């Protein structure tokens, strides 16, 4: 009995507590990201944004959530029931499980696995199924078109994301996310030598999370809202939370790959007093603000321009940069290990 | 240990069940979705065996890319479900016979397979100790050094297949409008705008 307690039960409880310690702040962050987006967009368009529910409208996300919970779940009669119900759950779950490998600070990581970055890549490449299943299962033209667009778009931009990741990994010599941050601690943040890659990754991240200006998946004007037209109530809320969760996740990945993860910007006194997790959160917030700023500023891309940008601009350039990185590392003898 | 055994049996059970469902489910889109579930569980089995790199690559390549294209094709096909069910019994004996022959052959190979004493020495390089090196590292060291020619040959075969697929589907289409970004960017004010003094009552 004692062995059962110390060998199985206690580790299980510990893991559940750790997961809760990641997920609860994450869900609150998602809720307030929706609020922040509306406030920032409002400010940029000289409006006030939500300001009625609670002080400064701070309770607005919870009011919205409660409203969605109380609505009726409608499943269209022609829909493929199982796939229709599974799709939002899949989207939401994938947005959450990826956080298992993200290091929040020195040693603060749920699963410190050897293939961390590949794990993130695998999870993000599965994200397309939630959308494509929803689009197909709804049995509606608009939803189906949205699903197909998203599938083509996410597959296209994944390729250049993969090449960007490889270029960074060449400078690290490991697939482990903690090692990536340590490599930046030893040298400099990778955003400086790899600035063009940082830009490509940020833009590809916008495309991968179906954010504006690449939100053709839910282009309101043509497709009503694309893949999630037929969804209501909790399934819709899951899609919504999944999308915002993916935004935060993408910002976290960019932070770890290019902006030094939990590292302070300078290695001197006042900066090193602040705990690493705060630095990570601050960097993520800056990137999220950038994503919202882009939404307020740029018009939506046309579909053929989107494909051209992915395949004819980003892919050749990231491939070129990969060869260049490998060449420079080899010539200067900076190859890790 | 018990936990690993439980995980193994759960993954294998789901893998086999979804494998059976892939060929028995009526709706082809559901069949592809079960295929994806099967890939995913196979990746889980890889992780259980300590082959985490293979597991992730299986998910990235097969689930993330190949199955998406499968799903695309199957969704866009116009399939009559009733017509598909008609032929099932007619082709069942032939299919079962072929399956049986393959099964017997596999069993024969498995029964007669053995390593000779000298064979391990014929390897160009032994696999590094999995405990000492992460397996991404180990795989990289083998395929980029001792097995580089085989690796490059595999790459060439894929390249040829890709070029072949492009050649088969490429056709010159006339009458489509293309956007030339360079052309648009090179336009200057002088080449596109002309200011004229228009005399009243006469027009340009």
């Amino acid at each position: 009995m004692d062995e059962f307690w110390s060998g199985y039960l206690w580790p299980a409880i510990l893991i559940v507590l750790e997961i809760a310690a990641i997920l609860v702040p994450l869900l609150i962050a998602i809720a307030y990201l929706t609020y922040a987006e509306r406030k920032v967009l409002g400010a940029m368009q000289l409006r006030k944004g939500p300001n009625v529910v609670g002080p400064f409208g701070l309770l607005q996300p919870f009011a919205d959530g409660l409203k969605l919970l109380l609505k009726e779940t409608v499943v269209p009669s022609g829909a493929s029931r199982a796939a229709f119900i599974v799709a939002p759950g899949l989207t939401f779950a994938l947005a959450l499980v990826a956080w298992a490998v993200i290091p929040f600070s020195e040693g603060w990581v749920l699963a410190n696995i050897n293939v961390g970055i590949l794990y993130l890549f695998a999870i993000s490449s599965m994200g397309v199924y939630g959308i494509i299943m929803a689009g197909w299962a709804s049995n509606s033209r608009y939803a189906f078109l949205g699903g197909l667009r998203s599938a083509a778009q996410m597959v296209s931009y994944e390729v250049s994301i993969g090449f960007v990741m490889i270029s960074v990994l060449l400078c690290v010599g490991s697939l482990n996310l903690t090692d990536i941050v340590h490599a930046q601690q030893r040298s400099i943040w990778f955003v400086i030598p790899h600035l063009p890659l940082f830009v490509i990754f940020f833009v590809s991240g916008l495309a991968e999370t179906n954010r504006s200006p690449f939100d053709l998946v839910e282009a309101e004007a043509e497709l009503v809202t694309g893949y999630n037209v037929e969804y209501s109530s909790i399934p819709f809320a899951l899609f919504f939370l999944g999308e915002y969760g993916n935004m935060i996740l993408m910002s976290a990945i960019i932070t770890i790959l290019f902006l030094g993860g939990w590292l302070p910007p300078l290695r001197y006194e006042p900066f090193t007093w602040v705990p690493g997790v705060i630095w990570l959160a601050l960097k993520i917030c800056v990137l999220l603000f950038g994503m919202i700023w882009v939404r307020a500023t740029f018009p939506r891309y046309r579909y053929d321009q989107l494909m051209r940008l992915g395949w004819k601009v980003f892919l050749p350039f990231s491939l070129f940069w990969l060869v260049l990185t490998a060449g420079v590392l080899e010539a200067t003898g900076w190859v890790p290990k | 240990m018990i936990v690993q055994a439980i995980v193994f049996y759960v993954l294998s059970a789901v893998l086999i069940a979804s494998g059976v469902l892939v060929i028995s489910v009526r709706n082809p889109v559901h069949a592809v979705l079960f295929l994806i579930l099967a890939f995913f569980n196979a990746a889980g089995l890889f992780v259980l065996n300590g082959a985490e790199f293979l597991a992730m690559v299986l998910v990235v390549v097969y689930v993330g890319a190949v199955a998406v294209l499968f799903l695309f094709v199957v969704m866009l096909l116009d399939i009559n479900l009733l017509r598909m069910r008609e032929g099932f019994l007619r082709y069942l004996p032939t299919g079962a016979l072929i399956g049986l022959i393959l099964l017997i052959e596999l069993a024969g190979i498995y029964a007669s397979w053995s390593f000779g004493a000298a064979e391990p020495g014929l390897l160009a390089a032994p696999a590094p100790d999995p405990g000492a090196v992460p397996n991404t590292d180990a795989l990289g060291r083998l395929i980029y050094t001792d097995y580089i020619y085989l690796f490059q040959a595999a790459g060439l075969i894929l390249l040829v297949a890709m070029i072949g697929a492009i050649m088969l589907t490429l056709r010159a289409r006339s009458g489509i409008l293309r956007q030339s970004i360079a052309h648009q960017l090179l336009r200057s004010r002088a080449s596109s705008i002309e200011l004229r003094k228009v005399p009243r009552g006469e027009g340009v």
Side-chain angles (χ1 to χ4, degrees), chain B residues 2-110:
Chain B
I2 298 176
V3 178
Q4 282 196 358
I6 294 173
V7 173
F8 171 77
Y9 283 116
V10 168
L11 287 176
S12 325
V14 177
L15 174 60
I16 294 172
S18 47
V20 170
L21 282 171
V22 170
I23 51 172
S24 58
V25 152
R26 297 244 166 72
N27 191 327
V29 174
H30 290 165
V32 177
L33 291 177
F34 278 117
L35 182 68
I36 293 160
L37 189 61
F39 283 146
F40 197 69
N41 282 283
L45 287 178
F46 272 136
V47 170
L48 218 53
N49 276 320
E52 71 261 5
F53 181 75
L54 285 183
M56 293 307 155
V57 168
L58 181 72
V59 174
V60 170
V61 175
Y62 281 90
V63 178
V66 174
V68 171
L69 296 181
F70 259 25
L71 206 56
F72 243 125
V73 172
V74 168
M75 279 178 177
L76 295 176
L77 287 180
D78 187 22
I79 295 169
N80 190 337
L81 293 179
L82 280 177
R83 278 245 303 285
M84 279 183 64
R85 276 162 69 187
E86 273 172 10
F88 184 69
L89 276 180
R90 224 177 81 209
Y91 297 117
L92 184 63
T94 330
L97 188 68
I98 295 174
L100 193 67
I101 292 171
L102 284 177
L103 188 67
I104 292 171
E105 284 177 350
L106 277 178
I109 292 171
Y110 181 70

Side-chain angles (χ1 to χ4, degrees), chain A residues 8 80 114-115 118-119 121-122 125-126 128-129 132-133 136 144 148 151-152 155 175 302 304-305 308 337, chain B residues 2-3 27 29-30 33 36 40 52-53 56 59-60 63-64 67-68 71-72 75-76 134 136-137 179 181:
Chain A
Y8 296 107
S80 173
N114 281 334
V115 287
L118 266 181
Y119 173 82
F121 195 55
S125 68
M126 281 176 61
V128 65
Y129 286 110
I132 202 174
M133 270 167 78
W136 176 79
F144 190 53
L148 288 183
V155 169
L175 297 175
R302 218 172 54 206
D304 62 311
Q305 292 173 329
R308 179 185 166 275
K337 275 194 239 169
Chain B
I2 298 176
V3 178
N27 191 327
V29 174
H30 290 165
L33 291 177
I36 293 160
F40 197 69
E52 71 261 5
F53 181 75
M56 293 307 155
V59 174
V60 170
V63 178
V68 171
L71 206 56
F72 243 125
M75 279 178 177
L76 295 176
T136 317
D137 223 325
Q179 182 181 19
I181 303 273

Side-chain angles (χ1 to χ4, degrees), chain A residues 226-241:
Chain A
Y227 67 96
N228 60 18
V229 202
E230 304 291 345
Y231 282 86
S232 58
S233 176
I234 297 173
F236 176 78
L238 289 180
F239 271 127
F240 199 71
L241 294 177

Side-chain angles (χ1 to χ4, degrees), chain A residues 187-257:
Chain A
S187 54
I188 40 172
W189 294 4
F190 288 141
V191 66
I192 297 166
H194 289 302
L195 184 63
L197 286 192
F198 171 73
V199 175
I200 288 186
F201 201 99
F202 185 76
V203 177
S204 302
L206 289 177
E208 186 76 8
T209 50
N210 295 322
R211 285 287 300 176
S212 166
F214 306 111
D215 55 346
L216 291 131
V217 175
E218 45 176 85
E220 304 92 341
E222 317 145 42
L223 296 182
V224 199
T225 59
Y227 67 96
N228 60 18
V229 202
E230 304 291 345
Y231 282 86
S232 58
S233 176
I234 297 173
F236 176 78
L238 289 180
F239 271 127
F240 199 71
L241 294 177
E243 186 189 324
Y244 282 83
N246 276 329
M247 277 170 71
I248 304 182
L249 177 69
M250 194 49 84
S251 307
I253 297 175
I254 298 175
T255 307
I256 286 165
L257 285 179

